[in-house]
PDB file of all heavy atoms in Angstrom:
ATOM      1  N   VAL G  57      10.772  34.183 -13.221  1.00 97.00           N
ATOM      2  CA  VAL G  57      10.079  33.696 -14.376  1.00 97.00           C
ATOM      3  C   VAL G  57       9.073  32.588 -14.038  1.00 97.00           C
ATOM      4  O   VAL G  57       8.310  32.142 -14.895  1.00 97.00           O
ATOM      5  CB  VAL G  57      11.077  33.180 -15.458  1.00 97.00           C
ATOM      6  CG1 VAL G  57      11.931  34.325 -15.983  1.00 97.00           C
ATOM      7  CG2 VAL G  57      11.954  32.058 -14.914  1.00 97.00           C
ATOM      8  N   GLY G  58       9.062  32.151 -12.765  1.00 97.00           N
ATOM      9  CA  GLY G  58       8.132  31.110 -12.390  1.00 97.00           C
ATOM     10  C   GLY G  58       8.433  30.575 -11.004  1.00 97.00           C
ATOM     11  O   GLY G  58       9.172  31.145 -10.226  1.00 97.00           O
ATOM     12  N   LYS G  59       7.780  29.453 -10.694  1.00 97.00           N
ATOM     13  CA  LYS G  59       7.932  28.825  -9.378  1.00 97.00           C
ATOM     14  C   LYS G  59       8.151  27.360  -9.606  1.00 97.00           C
ATOM     15  O   LYS G  59       7.779  26.775 -10.625  1.00 97.00           O
ATOM     16  CB  LYS G  59       6.651  29.039  -8.543  1.00 97.00           C
ATOM     17  CG  LYS G  59       6.088  30.464  -8.445  1.00 97.00           C
ATOM     18  CD  LYS G  59       6.989  31.302  -7.561  1.00 97.00           C
ATOM     19  CE  LYS G  59       6.289  32.634  -7.187  1.00 97.00           C
ATOM     20  NZ  LYS G  59       6.021  33.501  -8.390  1.00 97.00           N
ATOM     21  N   LYS G  60       8.711  26.693  -8.600  1.00 96.00           N
ATOM     22  CA  LYS G  60       8.905  25.259  -8.648  1.00 96.00           C
ATOM     23  C   LYS G  60       8.332  24.628  -7.394  1.00 96.00           C
ATOM     24  O   LYS G  60       8.344  25.246  -6.319  1.00 96.00           O
ATOM     25  CB  LYS G  60      10.354  24.878  -8.803  1.00 96.00           C
ATOM     26  CG  LYS G  60      11.226  25.235  -7.602  1.00 96.00           C
ATOM     27  CD  LYS G  60      12.504  24.362  -7.511  1.00 96.00           C
ATOM     28  CE  LYS G  60      12.225  22.997  -6.932  1.00 96.00           C
ATOM     29  NZ  LYS G  60      13.481  22.211  -6.710  1.00 96.00           N
ATOM     30  N   ILE G  61       7.887  23.409  -7.520  1.00 93.00           N
ATOM     31  CA  ILE G  61       7.403  22.587  -6.350  1.00 93.00           C
ATOM     32  C   ILE G  61       8.440  21.504  -6.172  1.00 93.00           C
ATOM     33  O   ILE G  61       8.843  20.842  -7.124  1.00 93.00           O
ATOM     34  CB  ILE G  61       6.050  21.976  -6.637  1.00 93.00           C
ATOM     35  CG1 ILE G  61       5.050  23.093  -7.099  1.00 93.00           C
ATOM     36  CG2 ILE G  61       5.529  21.270  -5.423  1.00 93.00           C
ATOM     37  CD1 ILE G  61       3.745  22.548  -7.719  1.00 93.00           C
ATOM     38  N   GLY G  62       8.877  21.345  -4.917  1.00 89.00           N
ATOM     39  CA  GLY G  62       9.851  20.336  -4.606  1.00 89.00           C
ATOM     40  C   GLY G  62       9.303  19.372  -3.534  1.00 89.00           C
ATOM     41  O   GLY G  62       8.244  19.615  -2.946  1.00 89.00           O
ATOM     42  N   VAL G  63      10.006  18.296  -3.294  1.00 85.00           N
ATOM     43  CA  VAL G  63       9.703  17.326  -2.264  1.00 85.00           C
ATOM     44  C   VAL G  63       8.267  16.799  -2.467  1.00 85.00           C
ATOM     45  O   VAL G  63       7.378  16.828  -1.598  1.00 85.00           O
ATOM     46  CB  VAL G  63       9.843  17.927  -0.833  1.00 85.00           C
ATOM     47  CG1 VAL G  63       9.815  16.817   0.239  1.00 85.00           C
ATOM     48  CG2 VAL G  63      11.101  18.717  -0.698  1.00 85.00           C
ATOM     49  N   THR G  64       7.986  16.339  -3.675  1.00 79.00           N
ATOM     50  CA  THR G  64       6.612  15.945  -4.016  1.00 79.00           C
ATOM     51  C   THR G  64       6.426  14.431  -3.812  1.00 79.00           C
ATOM     52  O   THR G  64       5.238  13.991  -3.699  1.00 79.00           O
ATOM     53  CB  THR G  64       6.278  16.282  -5.495  1.00 79.00           C
ATOM     54  OG1 THR G  64       7.316  15.847  -6.320  1.00 79.00           O
ATOM     55  CG2 THR G  64       6.095  17.791  -5.640  1.00 79.00           C
ATOM     56  N   SER G  65       7.445  13.611  -3.801  1.00 72.00           N
ATOM     57  CA  SER G  65       7.261  12.209  -3.698  1.00 72.00           C
ATOM     58  C   SER G  65       7.259  11.770  -2.217  1.00 72.00           C
ATOM     59  O   SER G  65       7.933  12.368  -1.387  1.00 72.00           O
ATOM     60  CB  SER G  65       8.327  11.454  -4.452  1.00 72.00           C
ATOM     61  OG  SER G  65       9.570  11.511  -3.761  1.00 72.00           O
ATOM     62  N   GLN G  66       6.562  10.653  -1.932  1.00 71.00           N
ATOM     63  CA  GLN G  66       6.525  10.155  -0.575  1.00 71.00           C
ATOM     64  C   GLN G  66       7.924   9.770  -0.105  1.00 71.00           C
ATOM     65  O   GLN G  66       8.255   9.960   1.093  1.00 71.00           O
ATOM     66  CB  GLN G  66       5.568   8.969  -0.501  1.00 71.00           C
ATOM     67  CG  GLN G  66       4.075   9.326  -0.527  1.00 71.00           C
ATOM     68  CD  GLN G  66       3.653  10.259   0.662  1.00 71.00           C
ATOM     69  OE1 GLN G  66       4.104  10.024   1.742  1.00 71.00           O
ATOM     70  NE2 GLN G  66       2.852  11.233   0.369  1.00 71.00           N
ATOM     71  N   VAL G  67       8.730   9.216  -0.982  1.00 64.00           N
ATOM     72  CA  VAL G  67      10.077   8.774  -0.563  1.00 64.00           C
ATOM     73  C   VAL G  67      10.897   9.980  -0.062  1.00 64.00           C
ATOM     74  O   VAL G  67      11.543   9.895   0.989  1.00 64.00           O
ATOM     75  CB  VAL G  67      10.797   8.141  -1.780  1.00 64.00           C
ATOM     76  CG1 VAL G  67      12.237   7.808  -1.411  1.00 64.00           C
ATOM     77  CG2 VAL G  67      10.081   6.833  -2.146  1.00 64.00           C
ATOM     78  N   VAL G  68      10.857  11.084  -0.787  1.00 72.00           N
ATOM     79  CA  VAL G  68      11.665  12.247  -0.414  1.00 72.00           C
ATOM     80  C   VAL G  68      11.044  12.936   0.846  1.00 72.00           C
ATOM     81  O   VAL G  68      11.774  13.380   1.731  1.00 72.00           O
ATOM     82  CB  VAL G  68      11.753  13.283  -1.553  1.00 72.00           C
ATOM     83  CG1 VAL G  68      12.529  14.521  -1.125  1.00 72.00           C
ATOM     84  CG2 VAL G  68      12.423  12.633  -2.785  1.00 72.00           C
ATOM     85  N   MET G  69       9.703  12.935   0.945  1.00 74.00           N
ATOM     86  CA  MET G  69       9.075  13.462   2.151  1.00 74.00           C
ATOM     87  C   MET G  69       9.518  12.721   3.348  1.00 74.00           C
ATOM     88  O   MET G  69       9.867  13.306   4.427  1.00 74.00           O
ATOM     89  CB  MET G  69       7.536  13.409   2.010  1.00 74.00           C
ATOM     90  CG  MET G  69       6.925  14.422   1.096  1.00 74.00           C
ATOM     91  SD  MET G  69       5.133  14.389   1.217  1.00 74.00           S
ATOM     92  CE  MET G  69       4.689  15.340  -0.241  1.00 74.00           C
TER      93      MET G  69
END
Side-chain angles (χ1 to χ4, degrees):
V57 296
K59 309 287 192 298
K60 66 157 283 186
I61 307 165
V63 194
T64 51
S65 74
Q66 284 299 320
V67 172
V68 179
M69 284 188 195

